[in-house]
């Protein structure tokens, strides 16, 4: 079931669909900095697909629920309760589908009802909407409150003779209502893993077949603990340096060399969101409502500038410890707890023209890297 095309709900879904589709185009653009830095784009794409699937589910769900709430004054994304309900419905989707007549049977009942009663079959329409929703959940993976880690790359650091993994996971933060993607580059000094994966000349052992991506941390002895760590350390309120430090302290044989957090949002849509009054007012003047949106995201990064070696004494020993760099010369980087960060904004050409014509583009975008989309073409400002 679809809502009225001119309704605020339909406008919101059209706008977010355009924004996420635009971000997908940006990630696939050969001139995009994220495309050129392949590992970031590679990490984001699966989570973007999950997010798009979630919105498709929510759009079907509004056909049989009383309300759909978004964080209008903050992130512009659905409130956390919607994420929890989607995850709960996903778990019981198969059973509930078995209790609802098939789509063809429902269509037949609806046609018969209309012929007999000369009115629209509201109850049957609701059941059809629920069936579409449950079928949509089953089509693909959704953006859950927490998405388990997976290893997406494996290599060897020839200086340390350790294998290292690039591990990604996702989380939808309940307080900020923001979807986030995490990426960590981690060296593993576990003796068995080093012997298995590293050759004598410091290269990845070609005799070990690794079919990437691998669910969880590649080290099976630590995978379950790492899943639990990621679950407990993915809140937006935790700074990247805090998460990296916790990881370094909790796992003696794991050495986090870099941690990135990609925070999607806030999202701005004309006449829908209220998170920036100036942006809202200008976007409301954009001629085509499907182009009256603005999507932002932030890439936060913390990296190790040195590793303090382990020390072993007669009475006590100290494991190796990373020294993470924080850019104290940048107040915002210090506040975020990062070595570096980038702010990005994706905006349709019509909306950017409206902001520019109003003389507000420079003030609104500030230190953002602005990417303007027109059709399938991305240009940098």
């Amino acid at each position: 079931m679809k809502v009225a095309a001119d309704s605020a709900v339909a406008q919101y879904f059209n706008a977010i669909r355009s924004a996420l589709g635009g971000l997908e185009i940006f990630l696939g653009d050969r001139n995009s900095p994220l495309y050129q830095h392949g590992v970031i784009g590679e990490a984001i794409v699966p989570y973007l697909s999950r997010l798009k699937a979630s919105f498709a589910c929510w759009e079907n769900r509004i056909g049989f629920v009383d309300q759909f709430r978004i964080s209008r004054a903050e992130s512009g994304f659905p409130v956390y309760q919607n994420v929890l309900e989607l995850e709960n419905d996903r778990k019981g989707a198969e059973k509930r589908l078995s209790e609802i007549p098939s789509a063809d049977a429902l269509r037949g009942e609806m046609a018969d009802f209309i012929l007999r009663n000369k009115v629209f079959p509201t109850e049957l329409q609701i059941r059809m909407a629920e069936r579409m929703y449950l079928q949509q959940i089953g089509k693909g993976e959704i953006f859950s409150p927490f998405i388990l880690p997976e290893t997406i790359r494996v290599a060897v650091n020839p200086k340390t003779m350790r294998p290292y993994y690039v591990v990604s996971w996702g989380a939808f933060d309940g307080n900020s209502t923001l979807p986030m993607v995490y990426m960590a580059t981690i060296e593993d000094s576990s003796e068995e893993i080093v012997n298995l994966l590293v050759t004598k000349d410091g290269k990845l052992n070609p005799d070990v077949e690794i079919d990437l991506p691998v669910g969880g941390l590649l080290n099976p002895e630590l995978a379950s603990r790492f899943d639990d760590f990621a679950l407990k350390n993915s809140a937006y309120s935790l700074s990247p340096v805090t998460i990296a430090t916790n990881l370094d302290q909790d796992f003696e044989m794991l050495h986090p060399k870099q941690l990135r957090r990609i925070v999607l949002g806030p999202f701005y849509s004309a006449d829908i969101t209220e998170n920036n009054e100036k942006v809202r007012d200008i976007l409301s003047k954009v001629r085509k409502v499907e182009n009256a949106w603005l999507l932002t995201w932030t890439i936060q990064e913390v990296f190790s500038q040195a590793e303090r070696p382990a020390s072993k004494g007669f009475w006590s020993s100290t494991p190796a410890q990373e020294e993470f760099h924080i850019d104290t010369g940048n107040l915002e980087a210090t506040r975020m707890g990062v070595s570096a960060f980038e702010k990005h904004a994706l905006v349709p050409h019509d909306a950017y023209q409206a902001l520019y014509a109003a003389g507000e583009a420079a003030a609104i975008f500030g230190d953002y890297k602005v990417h303007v989309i027109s059709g399938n073409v991305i240009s940098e400002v």
Side-chain angles (χ1 to χ4, degrees):
M1 176 186 174
K2 299 292 183 182
V3 296
D6 58 348
S7 72
V9 174
Q11 182 182 332
Y12 174 77
F13 278 105
N14 287 336
I16 194 71
R17 187 163 46 244
S18 294
L20 297 179
L23 180 54
E24 195 170 48
I25 293 171
F26 174 75
L27 292 174
D29 186 350
R30 292 182 179 274
N31 296 316
S32 160
L34 296 190
Y35 182 94
Q36 294 166 5
H37 202 310
V39 68
I40 300 180
E42 180 184 340
I44 297 175
V45 166
Y47 299 95
L48 179 59
S49 296
R50 284 174 173 269
L51 196 57
K52 290 174 66 178
S54 289
F55 275 100
C57 292
W58 282 319
E59 191 168 11
N60 280 321
R61 194 173 189 272
I62 58 177
F64 63 93
V65 296
D66 293 333
Q67 62 179 2
F68 179 79
R69 293 178 56 223
I70 66 170
S71 177
R72 298 180 66 183
E74 300 294 338
S75 71
F77 279 89
V79 298
Y80 192 53
Q81 184 63 31
N82 291 307
V83 182
L84 294 175
E85 289 172 352
L86 202 62
E87 178 69 7
N88 186 60
D89 289 346
R90 182 188 65 80
K91 295 175 181 177
E94 188 174 346
K95 181 178 183 298
R96 287 174 61 189
L97 264 176
S98 68
E99 299 167 352
I100 301 175
S102 69
D104 287 341
L106 285 172
R107 290 190 190 98
E109 288 185 48
M110 291 171 73
D112 183 63
F113 187 94
I114 292 171
L115 289 173
R116 285 188 293 103
N117 299 285
K118 309 301 181 185
V119 294
F120 200 79
T122 303
E123 292 301 320
L124 289 171
Q125 185 187 33
I126 290 173
R127 299 199 77 186
M128 177 65 85
E130 185 175 8
R131 166 164 278 281
M132 291 172 62
Y133 165 69
L134 294 171
Q135 288 176 329
Q136 182 64 44
I137 289 180
K139 284 183 179 179
E141 296 173 308
I142 58 173
F143 204 109
S144 303
F146 174 71
I147 303 168
L148 285 166
E150 62 178 18
T151 302
I152 60 175
R153 285 195 181 180
V154 184
V156 174
N157 183 343
K159 294 182 179 179
T160 62
M161 297 292 283
R162 298 170 181 162
Y164 68 85
Y165 322 125
V166 177
V167 186
S168 70
W169 68 94
F172 198 107
D173 187 76
N175 292 322
S176 66
T177 62
L178 290 168
M180 302 176 295
V181 179
Y182 285 90
M183 294 172 54
T185 301
I186 304 168
E187 289 188 9
D188 190 340
S189 60
S190 305
E191 185 175 355
E192 289 185 5
I193 290 294
V194 173
N195 292 337
L196 176 66
L197 296 181
V198 183
T199 62
K200 291 181 179 180
D201 57 352
K203 295 182 180 179
L204 193 64
N205 188 348
D207 296 329
V208 179
E209 293 187 12
I210 303 173
D211 188 17
L212 297 173
V214 173
L217 189 76
L218 191 62
N219 186 332
E221 294 295 323
L222 300 177
S224 179
R225 278 184 57 204
F226 188 86
D227 287 350
D228 187 57
F229 169 85
L231 174 63
K232 295 176 180 176
N233 287 269
S234 294
Y236 181 67
S237 59
L238 296 175
S239 68
V241 71
T242 297
I243 298 171
T245 301
N246 290 346
L247 175 57
D248 190 36
Q249 293 175 346
D250 287 2
F251 295 86
E252 182 178 352
M253 298 302 173
L254 297 183
H255 313 275
K257 300 301 180 180
Q258 182 186 58
L259 177 78
R260 286 192 179 102
R261 177 166 66 188
I262 298 96
V263 183
L264 296 175
F267 171 69
Y268 307 87
S269 177
D271 301 325
I272 303 293
T273 59
E274 301 170 350
N275 34 19
N276 187 308
E277 185 175 351
K278 187 177 294 184
V279 172
R280 183 191 64 188
D281 290 344
I282 296 172
L283 289 180
S284 67
K285 297 179 175 64
V286 175
R287 185 167 53 88
K288 295 182 178 180
V289 293
E290 63 268 26
N291 291 334
W293 55 265
L294 167 63
L295 176 65
T296 65
W297 67 93
T298 303
I299 301 174
Q300 301 171 321
E301 175 189 357
V302 63
F303 60 81
S304 173
Q305 58 187 356
E307 181 181 308
R308 197 178 308 150
S311 63
K312 293 185 178 181
F314 187 78
W315 299 108
S316 64
S317 61
T318 304
Q321 190 173 16
E322 302 297 328
E323 296 179 0
F324 296 106
H325 170 67
I326 299 297
D327 184 5
T328 54
N330 184 310
L331 291 178
E332 192 163 6
T334 303
R335 178 186 62 80
M336 289 184 184
V338 297
S339 311
F341 67 94
E342 292 180 2
K343 292 182 177 181
H344 294 261
L346 181 69
V347 58
H349 183 265
D350 289 359
Y352 182 78
Q353 286 294 93
L355 293 165
Y356 185 82
E360 298 290 351
I364 287 171
F365 292 116
D367 57 353
Y368 281 80
K369 295 182 178 181
V370 182
H371 318 285
V372 179
I373 183 168
S374 180
N376 290 329
V377 179
I378 305 283
S379 57
E380 309 299 315
V381 176

